[in-house]
Amino acid sequence: MEITRLISEATAAAVSRRDPGAVPGWTGRVKWPVTCTVGPGLEGAIACETKIGYIDGAQGSMLYQGYDIYDLCTHSNFEEVCYLLLYGKLPTESQMAAFDAKLKEARYLSDTLRLLDNFPVEDMHPMASLRLATTFMRYRLTWRDSAAARPRPDEAIASDEDSIPMETKPRGESRAIYEFRRQRLLRPANAGSTRDDAASMESCIHLISGLATLTAAISRLRQGKMPLEPDPDLSHAANFLYMMSGRRPTPEEERVMDVCLILHADHGMNASTFAAMVVASTLSDIYLSIGSGIAALSGPLHGGANEEVLHLLREIGTCKAVPAWFAKATEEKRKIPGFGHRVYKTYDPRAVVLSPLAEHLVARNKEVRPLFRVARALEKRVVATLGKNKGIYPNVDYYSGLIYSCMGIPVEMFTPIFAVSRVAGWTARVMEYLGNNRIFRPRSIYIGEHGKEFVPAKDRDA
Ligand code: ACO
């Protein structure tokens, strides 16, 4: 198929640019307590070990459970990638069939949609609606609500954040020692493994399928249309597109959406994954954890950047306008949406895949083509100026919006689509972390005053 050929060509070229002798950093078992150099916002801090994903920012490579993202985009599909992330290995045919059947069953969320319908979804940002809807998915009691899930008094003391033994013992100015202690997960043995179990594979599957159903329903409700029933004959990607638009997608649209879902499924300890893990680490509920991931993803510095890119390309308008616009943006020290990354200082491998797919789709889309041309002109200018100097290259958000536009998806749904995919990584990482849980508790350094005298309100200066 044409899409697979485009992916193979783009990724072969990118792989040939990698240094085969480069030794991957940030790997190997951690011996706690670990010494690391930490910047503001926990930059550089090591919080846990993981087998789920690996990013090499210098080489522009990315793995899920040891498999190169390029191979997964070429040969796999989103359902299989979800299985891989959650269970740590690729499924056999029978394992895949059973997993797929569960995913399909979990697409039906009529109770949740009935609850959502009582809210002014058309006036809310879709990410706010999605977060709300995820909470509604937990409308039944989970074992967290049961008396059996209540911690014993000694465990309760350990879970009170202010009673936790000091984790952080600063030693020197730029280094800190983080001590970790294995803590038993407060999960009763009889908690069961159904969807109502707040930390079960069933709830992960419920959330992975559920977020696609909810995002599609939110998109329709915003347009004054009724949500659609899922089609069990369709793949996850095709059903998602169908439930949004009411039209069964072409094989090409299905494949492109599937690749987009694979590419966005996991990406290290990014802000939304971290947010989900922090909430889960308090032994809260996985539905509430994923809601926190959705909230973190909604910001323009994270998942919201793909919307910003489209607004930006429209603002620039024409290729001719690019040099003047870029000069002004540089003067104003503006950060250009869709460029730069905390980890990648070369081309984001996800942009490597998405760039030729966007080019392919715009060839048949007159409306989006002019925006794509502006995007290419801007990319050339940014890379020539900031690429080598500052390691600023297109990131995943630069081309994804153009692709979704070619499929007729409204701009405000771009970030929810990111969540439809990333829920796979969120759930996988939450489950992995809960296997060896330790409540997150970094510290801040107090820079305020000490010993201030309390003055009654009537005597205070204005
Ligand atoms: N455009 C222009 N210059 C940039 C950009 C950009 N997008 N990003 C970073 N820079 C410059 C900074 O101005 C800074 O320059 P200086 O050293 O002269 O001050 C230098 O590169 C380093 O910038 P930092 O802000 O320290 O880089 P950081 O790693 O903190 O930022 C981030 C990463 C937040 C993604 C940033 O590149 C950005 O804001 N990009 C635009 C928003 C975006 O596309 N976000 C999506 C990221 S991918 C994702 O979340 C899915």
Side-chain angles (χ1 to χ4, degrees):
M1 196 194 215
E2 180 68 355
I3 299 300
T4 304
R5 187 185 64 77
L6 289 170
I7 295 171
S8 300
E9 281 175 10
T11 62
V15 169
S16 73
R17 288 192 294 271
R18 286 182 191 157
D19 174 1
V23 182
W26 296 79
T27 58
R29 298 304 305 260
V30 179
K31 204 166 161 291
W32 305 111
V34 65
T35 305
C36 51
T37 304
V38 179
L42 292 183
E43 184 172 347
I46 298 166
C48 58
E49 295 177 338
T50 184
K51 290 183 177 171
I52 289 174
Y54 177 69
I55 305 165
D56 185 332
Q59 294 298 314
S61 71
M62 179 179 156
L63 310 176
Y64 291 163
Q65 301 278 12
Y67 294 95
D68 195 305
I69 190 70
Y70 292 156
D71 288 336
L72 294 171
C73 285
T74 310
H75 305 295
S76 189
N77 59 49
F78 181 65
E79 291 89 324
E80 192 174 64
V81 164
C82 289
Y83 187 101
L84 174 68
L85 291 172
L86 287 170
Y87 293 98
K89 60 187 177 66
L90 287 170
T92 61
E93 279 177 343
S94 64
Q95 285 167 336
M96 192 60 228
F99 184 68
D100 194 44
K102 284 184 183 178
L103 280 172
K104 283 184 170 153
E105 193 207 318
R107 287 177 185 169
Y108 294 86
L109 289 180
S110 42
D111 292 330
T112 305
L113 290 177
R114 247 196 310 277
L115 289 170
L116 189 65
D117 201 26
N118 292 323
F119 284 80
V121 171
E122 61 285 357
D123 295 332
M124 293 165 66
H125 190 281
M127 287 298 273
S129 304
L130 189 60
R131 187 169 188 230
L132 183 68
T134 311
T135 308
F136 292 153
M137 285 179 76
R138 186 202 184 273
Y139 70 98
R140 282 175 295 190
L141 292 183
T142 72
W143 72 265
R144 283 269 169 258
D145 303 309
S146 73
R150 245 172 256 142
R152 295 201 317 264
D154 56 327
E155 287 168 329
I157 289 166
S159 60
D160 167 1
E161 62 151 26
D162 291 325
S163 322
I164 293 173
M166 302 287 260
E167 291 111 317
T168 315
K169 297 176 187 160
R171 299 212 189 133
E173 280 177 9
S174 63
R175 283 175 184 265
I177 301 265
Y178 289 81
E179 271 182 29
F180 284 75
R181 176 165 61 83
R182 211 184 152 88
Q183 189 179 325
R184 195 165 66 79
L185 176 63
L186 307 176
R187 183 167 177 271
N190 62 353
S193 61
T194 66
R195 183 177 292 174
D196 294 343
D197 176 358
S200 72
M201 283 298 179
E202 297 298 318
S203 50
C204 296
I205 293 169
H206 190 213
L207 280 158
I208 289 170
S209 277
L211 255 62
T213 295
L214 294 172
T215 298
I218 289 164
S219 179
R220 291 184 72 79
L221 288 169
R222 289 175 60 82
Q223 298 169 51
K225 296 176 184 164
M226 289 299 287
L228 291 177
E229 282 275 295
D231 181 340
D233 292 333
L234 297 179
S235 69
H236 189 86
N239 178 64
F240 173 54
L241 285 172
Y242 162 68
M243 286 184 75
M244 256 204 299
S245 69
R247 178 179 65 78
R248 281 168 182 75
T250 63
E252 184 171 276
E253 287 169 331
E254 175 184 2
R255 175 83 171 105
V256 172
M257 177 51 77
D258 195 47
V259 170
C260 291
L261 294 177
I262 293 172
L263 286 172
H264 289 83
D266 181 69
H267 207 242
M269 291 275 283
N270 57 82
S272 59
T273 302
F274 184 50
M277 289 169 68
V278 168
V279 174
S281 81
T282 68
L283 298 185
S284 172
D285 185 282
I286 197 164
Y287 294 89
L288 303 180
S289 307
I290 300 311
S292 308
I294 293 170
L297 186 67
S298 66
L301 294 188
H302 193 8
N306 56 11
E307 289 182 33
E308 298 295 321
V309 170
L310 255 275
H311 297 311
L312 168 74
L313 297 177
R314 287 192 185 128
E315 176 194 321
I316 298 175
T318 62
C319 295
K320 258 193 182 166
V322 166
W325 183 91
F326 180 70
K328 191 158 176 278
T330 309
E331 197 184 302
E332 291 168 356
K333 294 192 182 307
R334 194 168 159 182
K335 283 199 181 157
I336 309 167
F339 287 93
H341 198 276
R342 177 60 59 84
V343 180
Y344 296 118
K345 298 304 166 198
T346 179
Y347 265 87
D348 181 332
R350 301 165 298 176
V352 167
V353 175
L354 293 179
S355 163
L357 300 193
E359 185 166 22
H360 177 74
L361 293 185
V362 297
R364 270 178 280 142
N365 191 308
K366 267 197 267 166
E367 284 85 54
V368 187
R369 208 178 307 146
L371 292 180
F372 177 80
R373 290 199 183 116
V374 176
R376 274 281 193 257
L378 182 62
E379 177 185 349
K380 267 194 194 143
R381 178 93 15 180
V382 173
V383 170
T385 320
L386 304 174
K388 275 226 170 93
N389 288 350
K390 294 191 182 179
I392 304 292
Y393 293 90
N395 61 44
V396 65
D397 287 320
Y398 196 56
Y399 287 107
S400 60
L402 288 164
I403 289 175
Y404 300 147
S405 293
C406 287
M407 294 185 188
I409 297 171
V411 174
E412 68 276 10
M413 296 314 295
F414 294 176
T415 313
I417 294 176
F418 199 149
V420 166
S421 167
R422 185 54 59 85
V423 65
W426 290 334
T427 48
R429 288 197 183 244
V430 161
M431 293 300 279
E432 184 188 58
Y433 193 76
L434 286 178
N436 194 11
N437 190 44
R438 172 86 170 140
I439 189 169
F440 280 96
R441 182 64 160 89
R443 299 193 71 194
S444 53
I445 298 291
Y446 179 67
I447 56 164
E449 297 172 41
H450 291 257
K452 274 180 152 178
E453 192 186 335
F454 183 84
V455 180
K458 66 180 174 47
D459 300 330
R460 288 173 205 160
D461 294 336

